[in-house]
Amino acid sequence: MPVKTTYRENISVALNSIRGNRLRTSLTALIIAIGIMALVGILTAISGIRDSTNNAFAGLGANSFTIHNRGSGLNFGQGGHAKAFPAITYQQASRFKSTFKLPSVVCLKLDVTGTAIAKYKGIKTNPNINVTGSDENYVPTSGHKLAFGRNFSAAELAEGQNVVMIGDEIKTKLFKGEDPINKAVLIGDTRFRIVGVFEAKGSGGMGGFGGDKFCVIPVLKARQIVATTDPSFTITVMVSDAGALDETEGEATSLFRNVRDLNIANPNNFEIFRSDKIQKELSGNLDNVTYGGFAIGAITLIGAAIGLMNIMLVSVTERTREIGLRKAIGATPAIIRKQFLIEAIVICLIGGVLGVILGMAIGNLVVILTKGTFIIPWLWITIALIVCTLIGLLSGFYPAKKAAKLDPVEALRYE
């Protein structure tokens, strides 16, 4: 008998057997589908979240670091509070910027408030507007781009003029289709003229973790209106080549120690926060979730494999006379063995395909809810189908072997 015909007939017999035991097959396939759904769903969601996170941090500028007077305060499950050091003064920040010689872009910033209200012609925002003072390098170092308008001019920065660049959400809330450029807007108690509007980033925007509810004013103006008597500036340094980041950070540390008048015996009284630190922390946490997804999927699939083996053994017992009849008319043990193996694999693949579809749907729902984009995880789909085939082979091997060893005469006598 030709090999192709044998496989075709075995597949046909397997499908007929599956159709004849719909309830049992459906329950087994459903168990497998749940395991694959957990595996593919979790891994799809993680892949989407990882891509979204990488894109967000790429916008921040992965080749940058920021000098603060305190830690980032972002402790992933470790507890504790960020240690605070003496404030970084404007004079210290300016001296660093003017004397740092390595190829880089240096930006000075001062956080004024995170609870400002912006008003225009009787319309006002909620009290959740972030106001930041900065210099001409805010745009290239922040990851934000101007949708229209312009950056601050040298004169506006030098004189601390009342000009502002606003986020897209402020524009949408206050101007409703009107061109905001050169319009006067009240931010807090101060009137500013709008010179630029940033592109929308959405709620996932990483610039100050404020989405599009922010505005930027000249750093000297920020010094005048900030509420605290001893404000602390931050310094962001961005390099064009990732390979130079470590060297640049080391040089910046050495220079800022001199700016802060620290001798060799004194520890640093400032913190340097790299923009890829959070990314690495998040990546490590996502890896742990991935391992958890593998564990959940593996446990479910082991249970499904045991259930499938049990069903196949029951099937061998119920079809003993059929097996004896097939052997009596010429079926070899190899053909019988293939028939039951193919049947087990087909059941697994039915469950696998269903699990892949459900897993992709659930995983992408999570991705979309986290502002990510729809993805098709071809690698995990391929792995899932290969796993289903292996489960079918392993679960069906013993029942198939048992069926192949049945004596045809004894099988025909079986009641």
Side-chain angles (χ1 to χ4, degrees), residues 146-160:
L146 285 172
F148 50 92
R150 61 173 176 81
N151 202 344
F152 299 135
S153 68
E156 290 166 345
L157 289 169
E159 298 170 9

Side-chain angles (χ1 to χ4, degrees), residues 99-232:
T99 55
F100 192 64
K101 300 303 181 184
L102 288 186
S104 60
V105 178
V106 180
C107 173
L108 308 187
K109 288 188 292 186
L110 175 63
D111 292 328
V112 178
T113 180
T115 58
I117 298 175
K119 300 178 184 177
Y120 176 74
K121 288 185 177 179
I123 306 172
K124 63 181 181 179
T125 66
N126 294 323
N128 58 357
I129 303 301
N130 287 294
V131 181
T132 301
S134 192
D135 56 20
E136 73 282 2
N137 290 327
Y138 180 85
V139 175
T141 59
S142 67
H144 289 283
K145 296 179 181 179
L146 285 172
F148 50 92
R150 61 173 176 81
N151 202 344
F152 299 135
S153 68
E156 290 166 345
L157 289 169
E159 298 170 9
Q161 295 182 16
N162 290 20
V163 290
V164 63
M165 296 184 288
I166 62 173
D168 181 77
E169 190 165 330
I170 301 175
K171 181 206 75 170
T172 303
K173 175 73 174 178
L174 299 184
F175 295 94
K176 301 184 184 302
E178 185 180 351
D179 183 4
I181 299 299
N182 290 323
K183 298 292 192 307
V185 62
L186 194 66
I187 300 174
D189 297 324
T190 308
R191 191 172 298 276
F192 291 88
R193 178 170 56 89
I194 298 172
V195 297
V197 178
F198 290 103
E199 288 184 356
K201 272 199 165 188
S203 60
M206 301 299 291
F209 298 96
D212 297 314
K213 301 185 291 291
F214 74 103
C215 59
V216 182
I217 62 177
V219 67
L220 289 181
K221 188 64 185 179
R223 289 181 67 197
Q224 296 171 13
I225 65 174
V226 67
T228 58
T229 57
D230 189 25
S232 183

Side-chain angles (χ1 to χ4, degrees), residues 28-357:
T28 307
L30 182 61
I31 297 173
I32 293 169
I34 291 172
I36 296 297
M37 178 185 69
L39 188 63
V40 173
I42 291 173
L43 296 176
T44 299
I46 290 172
S47 297
I49 293 171
R50 194 186 298 275
D51 290 343
S52 178
T53 303
N54 289 340
N55 290 336
F57 280 97
L60 256 182
N63 303 335
S64 67
F65 57 88
T66 302
I67 303 174
H68 300 263
N69 74 318
R70 64 180 65 239
S72 65
L74 294 168
N75 297 309
F76 293 86
Q78 297 178 2
H81 300 280
K83 184 177 180 180
F85 296 107
I88 297 173
T89 66
Y90 178 73
Q91 290 72 22
Q92 290 173 344
S94 298
R95 180 183 166 193
F96 176 89
K97 181 178 179 179
S98 62
T99 55
F100 192 64
K101 300 303 181 184
L102 288 186
S104 60
V105 178
V106 180
C107 173
L108 308 187
K109 288 188 292 186
L110 175 63
D111 292 328
V112 178
T113 180
T115 58
I117 298 175
K119 300 178 184 177
Y120 176 74
K121 288 185 177 179
I123 306 172
K124 63 181 181 179
T125 66
N126 294 323
N128 58 357
I129 303 301
N130 287 294
V131 181
T132 301
S134 192
D135 56 20
E136 73 282 2
N137 290 327
Y138 180 85
V139 175
T141 59
S142 67
H144 289 283
K145 296 179 181 179
L146 285 172
F148 50 92
R150 61 173 176 81
N151 202 344
F152 299 135
S153 68
E156 290 166 345
L157 289 169
E159 298 170 9
Q161 295 182 16
N162 290 20
V163 290
V164 63
M165 296 184 288
I166 62 173
D168 181 77
E169 190 165 330
I170 301 175
K171 181 206 75 170
T172 303
K173 175 73 174 178
L174 299 184
F175 295 94
K176 301 184 184 302
E178 185 180 351
D179 183 4
I181 299 299
N182 290 323
K183 298 292 192 307
V185 62
L186 194 66
I187 300 174
D189 297 324
T190 308
R191 191 172 298 276
F192 291 88
R193 178 170 56 89
I194 298 172
V195 297
V197 178
F198 290 103
E199 288 184 356
K201 272 199 165 188
S203 60
M206 301 299 291
F209 298 96
D212 297 314
K213 301 185 291 291
F214 74 103
C215 59
V216 182
I217 62 177
V219 67
L220 289 181
K221 188 64 185 179
R223 289 181 67 197
Q224 296 171 13
I225 65 174
V226 67
T228 58
T229 57
D230 189 25
S232 183
F233 289 76
T234 60
I235 306 166
T236 298
V237 181
M238 187 175 72
V239 298
S240 57
D241 181 12
L245 188 60
D246 290 335
E247 177 187 355
T248 306
E249 182 184 347
E251 184 66 23
T253 302
S254 176
L255 174 60
F256 202 66
R257 284 179 58 85
N258 291 333
V259 168
R260 299 275 267 187
D261 293 325
L262 299 176
N263 61 43
I264 194 169
N266 297 133
N268 292 343
N269 61 358
F270 56 91
E271 291 281 347
I272 292 186
F273 174 71
R274 286 176 61 151
S275 59
D276 58 359
K277 180 180 178 181
I278 302 177
Q279 189 176 12
K280 290 178 180 178
E281 293 278 2
L282 287 174
S283 179
N285 282 271
L286 288 175
D287 287 342
N288 292 333
V289 177
T290 303
Y291 301 145
F294 273 119
I296 293 170
I299 292 170
T300 309
L301 290 174
I302 289 171
I306 295 171
L308 177 60
M309 181 181 293
N310 182 58
I311 285 175
M312 294 304 298
L313 287 171
V314 172
S315 180
V316 169
T317 302
E318 289 180 347
R319 294 158 59 190
T320 299
R321 286 177 61 83
E322 175 196 329
I323 295 168
L325 182 60
R326 284 175 61 80
K327 282 193 170 185
I329 61 175
T332 64
I335 292 174
I336 299 295
R337 189 183 306 112
K338 289 175 185 176
Q339 174 192 332
F340 280 88
L341 282 174
I342 290 172
E343 186 174 328
I345 292 171
V346 169
I347 292 174
C348 281
L349 289 176
I350 291 172
V353 171
L354 178 61
V356 165
I357 294 172

